[in-house]
């Protein structure tokens, strides 16, 4: 982040994220229902970009299994000390996305019933991340081997080539999304919030705080995978953040991935304006 | 309306307006809190357009005073029998808008607590109408003499020439709006609904009913006069209908009309996309 | 108010009312859409009670007409200087309610689009006041002569004696309500807020601020006159404040007052628990 | 259910549950986001009660492991054919609760984006069940061995004896709750719905349909475990159904079960009225 104070005004004072820790160079943020210490870390830097996507594993044993999995695949990995996290594994996956895994974090007070701290969009928790890559099918295979399951996907008619794949571990539509485009680039991180009025109020608050131009698309409804009501923002450095509500639960194994053909079903059922060109083309580089 | 059944599917089955009466050629509609028999009348016709804007006066004496007012101004008028209305005055105002006035209507059950009848956007009542005219200042003077008061207006910088004027009798920001453009044409009629989630749900229902393309602009927030949350629709004949919520009360005489300068204040405070060209240029002819 | 700082914590910091002016002994409050300087004035005092109910008239001429009306009725009146108000008339009506009238007030910024100032329940404006009196029919006649119209009423079966009457000037169900009980006493003042989620969020905020016990009844739905969704609070001195949303518009003269028979219609249509005994019996004395 | 048509009017026409299948003696219901064929089965019967609580397991292998687990514990079990389910295991647990498990069901269309089918409270999915038992600690141990994890609990001060325990598998606060009371009895089943306005609208719809008296408690806020906004209903046979929204996600292993001491923390933070005696004492027998 080029101006961490400006980022703080955006993420904390306007969006309503909680500060778990901060120093002159770093902001550790979490949503109001998160007990984990941080779900978004902002660092002061000259060059803007995304350092790494992080995932939690359930136990330390799972972390060892994952490490062995990467070694077997020939991927260089390193163990690092990351503040407020247990031992942390760094690796870059085969499509070039820098990743980080740990099994536990410092526990913070879950502020879900601290209603006086619910401001802005009342961001509840990190829900998912979307990555652009020309290699969607390869990404799908790689993350499938790691244990992610596909909930929905978009495929080209005729060839069945994957245009986008929505994968999950936690029982709702997606933890990670891969969409076909130049990459790897980070398209957006998404936080869920309680009700649709929070999305509308957030837009009003952004305008009141001078961030009105950060509203890139929405509030609207996704008619493709997930069906969420969304609003996409661009933060002061241009990174994209989605706020949405109302995903569905998907756990059962007999529930097959849903194929989605946007031009036919989409046209019949959608309302509102298409995504702007910036949403379709611009994204954050991994640094 | 070229296809009254299709209009019924739009206004009644999807938007949720109540039918007070219908015959093969006419639909008399009202909102769920209206005791007046109709606030919108749809007629079968080959050529589509708006016949007439209607206003209520308080008493029969007021109607006589109004008639005298028009005679004094040299405007031809006629008294007509209109179904479900007391004696009805027809006149075309000096800027060419066909008007109709009456003092009372057949009383219907107010369905405000008939929750099983609240569907669609839960349209509560007709709130205002917007007219395009090249003669905004003349319209403002004419309607001011009829008793309308200006709540807000948009004026050109430097010349102070009126670009738009928002006028009211009932104590909220506007009953009638005049906006500078070719005309006279009817830009839209607006119904108010209870809460913002009704606007969002309406869009989903429109898409489910195959009317997704009728959503022209929004849901969004007006940053100019009224500050309403809105969604603009185009009905099957292309007529524009606004649904909105959250206007304010304005009664007191010391509360001066608010001048609004969109380019400066507007840019600083707004969010979301600008109105589409269709919203700025297209409108319904008076027939 | 026995402890003005505590009252401020309740009305301003928790309910979200705006402070138009304050000194060590007085708080002038308004709702976020009010341009009038104040709709609620809190004064430091040893003995708690309500000094006076205030109404606005449209013009100074109306104030003179009203003064003549009271003189004709033999009521002693006085003209006073009240801060931030034009010349102000004091009178006590025939059922013992101390009243105050003025035609204009200092104009404040309407904060309706200052979304960063919308906190708590987002109180929009003062809507109505409810008075307990054994003389409901007399009150109805007196206020009817002042120009108030009855929208709804509750009458005893058989005798048709009035148990409650809801009267209005501003085009929605009530500005003043008289209910049969010992009196005159002030039962509550009511502020309207935008949406039902504000009522729910307010209760959570009250609990977070240590005012959880101030929630006396609701959130619920009135099935009698008005049909509002409500929550009734008791302020730190025990005065009752209602927050509600979703009243209806009522202007037209052919729309007859609605008679309401609670035991039959009420039983069939209501949900939720009955009002607690405190709501039915306790009220604020006029001092 | 003594009168299945009446139950259908309650669950389907008013609450908004979807019918996956029905015959003269049985109704198979699901929520609008459920792809599983049924989450609630209503059967015509002379004597009213709950036959069995059902859980899903992930795979057929898990079902075999579970069967072995029960055999090892000396519990008689049986394999049955249940309509629309894969092979189904019946067992009664050590505290006397009749259970059923299967690994897959017939897949139905997920109606999450069929907005025209979202009526009533828009019930999304079965979330949890609450059981009354004098043996809360034993239940906690038994279900812990089956793989459930405790998210929150209520313990007596001093002795630490469990008064209630909230256990989960799917990553939100509870799938099953045990509360100390005479039992085993089924206290309620709970469905989640999208937003708080659905809870309020549901109450209005219940009243409109003549089910107003079914609203037993709420809408309100739980200040103990889960923090949900709730409304508790009694169906036409007296069985209790909860609708709520806004639970939190809880997955991470370092996040310790939260101990809850109602009298102290509860008193400080709560608003609204206490549960009625019926809620605290009445429940459904297992048959």
């Amino acid at each position: 982040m080029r101006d961490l104070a400006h980022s703080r005004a955006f993420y904390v004072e306007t969006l309503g994220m909680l500060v778990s820790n901060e120093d002159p160079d770093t902001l550790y943020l979490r949503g109001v229902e998160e007990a984990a210490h941080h779900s978004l870390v902002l660092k002061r830097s000259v060059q803007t970009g995304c350092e790494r996507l992080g995932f939690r594993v359930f136990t330390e044993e799972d972390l060892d299994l994952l490490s062995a999995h990467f070694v077997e695949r020939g991927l260089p990995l390193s163990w690092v000390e990351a503040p407020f996290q247990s031992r942390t594994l760094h690796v870059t996956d085969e499509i070039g996305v820098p990743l980080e895994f740990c099994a536990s974090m410092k526990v913070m007070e879950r502020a879900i019933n601290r209603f006086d701290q619910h401001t802005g969009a009342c961001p509840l928790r990190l829900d998912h991340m979307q990555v652009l890559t020309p290699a969607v099918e390869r990404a799908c295979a790689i993350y499938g081997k790691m244990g992610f399951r596909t909930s929905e996907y978009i495929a080209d008619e005729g060839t069945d080539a994957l245009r986008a794949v929505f994968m999950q571990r936690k029982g709702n539509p997606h933890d990670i999304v891969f969409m076909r485009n130049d990459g790897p680039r980070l398209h957006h991180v998404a936080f869920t919030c309680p009700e649709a009025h929070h999305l509308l109020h957030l837009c009003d608050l952004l305008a009141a705080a001078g961030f009105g131009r950060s509203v890139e698309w929405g509030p609207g409804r996704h008619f493709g995978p997930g069906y969420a009501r969304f609003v996409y923002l661009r933060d002061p450095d241009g990174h994209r953040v989605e706020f949405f509500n109302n995903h569905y639960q998907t756990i059962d194994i007999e529930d097959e991935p849903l194929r989605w053909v946007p031009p036919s079903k989409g046209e019949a059922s959608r309302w509102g304006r298409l995504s702007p060109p910036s949403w379709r083309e611009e994204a954050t580089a991994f640094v």
Side-chain angles (χ1 to χ4, degrees), chain A:
Chain A
M1 303 288 160
R2 296 188 196 96
D3 179 346
L4 204 56
H6 201 45
S7 298
R8 197 185 196 286
F10 182 79
Y11 282 99
V12 179
E13 283 137 49
T14 310
L15 301 190
M17 298 201 68
L18 302 182
V19 178
S20 292
N21 196 272
E22 61 186 316
D23 61 44
D25 292 323
T26 326
L27 269 173
Y28 292 87
L29 305 179
R30 72 185 199 282
V32 301
E33 77 166 47
E34 290 180 308
H37 183 271
H38 51 267
S39 54
L40 187 65
V41 181
L42 307 182
K43 298 186 181 177
R44 188 185 304 281
S45 66
V46 178
Q47 200 181 346
T48 189
C50 173
E51 263 189 25
R52 205 164 281 277
L53 305 183
F55 291 97
R56 300 289 305 270
V57 295
F58 196 56
T59 63
E60 294 292 336
E61 293 70 39
D62 292 326
L63 195 56
D64 289 326
L65 287 170
L66 193 63
S67 158
H69 168 82
F70 290 131
V71 166
E72 190 184 339
R73 299 182 70 86
L75 294 174
L77 50 82
S78 58
W79 295 96
V80 303
E81 294 284 326
F84 312 108
Q85 300 181 187
S86 62
R87 66 178 179 137
T88 297
L89 176 64
H90 278 186
V91 70
T92 295
D93 73 17
E94 287 98 327
I95 62 163
V97 181
L99 301 174
E100 138 171 342
F101 300 87
C102 71
S104 73
M105 278 191 182
K106 181 179 177 184
V107 175
M108 303 296 289
E109 184 193 35
R110 206 184 281 282
I112 187 68
N113 67 339
R114 295 292 303 272
F115 302 105
D116 50 332
Q117 296 181 16
H118 296 191
T119 63
C122 191
L124 294 174
R125 61 179 180 273
L126 176 64
D127 183 79
H128 65 267
M129 298 169 281
Q130 181 165 319
V131 169
L132 303 183
T133 172
V136 173
E137 299 201 319
R138 197 170 171 210
C140 182
I142 290 165
Y143 282 76
K145 285 208 184 77
M146 272 196 266
F148 289 88
R149 296 167 58 204
T150 300
S151 62
E152 309 194 26
Y153 62 100
I154 304 173
D156 294 330
E157 290 191 86
T159 68
D160 293 349
L162 283 176
R163 287 176 45 182
V165 62
F166 300 76
M167 308 187 78
Q168 62 87 16
R169 283 289 300 170
K170 72 181 178 308
N172 74 348
H174 32 277
D175 300 345
I176 184 129
V177 178
F178 296 100
M179 194 160 280
R180 194 163 66 199
N181 206 321
D182 293 340
R185 291 181 293 161
L186 174 64
H187 187 264
H188 69 267
V189 297
F191 289 84
T192 188
C193 62
E195 307 209 334
H197 62 82
H198 290 98
L199 300 179
L200 295 166
H201 186 50
L202 173 60
C203 292
D204 287 334
L205 289 175
L206 285 162
F211 291 119
R213 291 302 171 201
S214 77
V215 180
E216 186 184 40
W217 187 27
R221 163 76 73 182
H222 277 308
F223 289 90
Y227 316 113
R229 281 181 297 212
F230 64 84
V231 59
Y232 286 95
L233 311 177
R234 302 296 290 269
D235 83 2
D237 288 84
H239 308 305
R240 189 178 290 106
V241 187
E242 180 189 8
F243 282 80
F244 74 97
N245 78 332
N246 276 27
H247 261 180
Y248 62 89
Q249 177 180 291
T250 177
I251 298 175
D252 304 327
I253 210 163
E254 76 272 21
D255 189 20
E256 293 289 328
L258 179 64
R259 178 170 179 165
W260 186 255
V261 188
S264 57
K265 187 173 177 187
E267 286 307 296
S269 70
R270 68 180 300 285
W271 56 266
R273 288 197 245 178
L274 295 173
S275 56
S278 63
W279 190 91
R280 293 194 297 272
E281 293 306 329
E282 299 174 10
T284 292
F286 290 108
V287 293

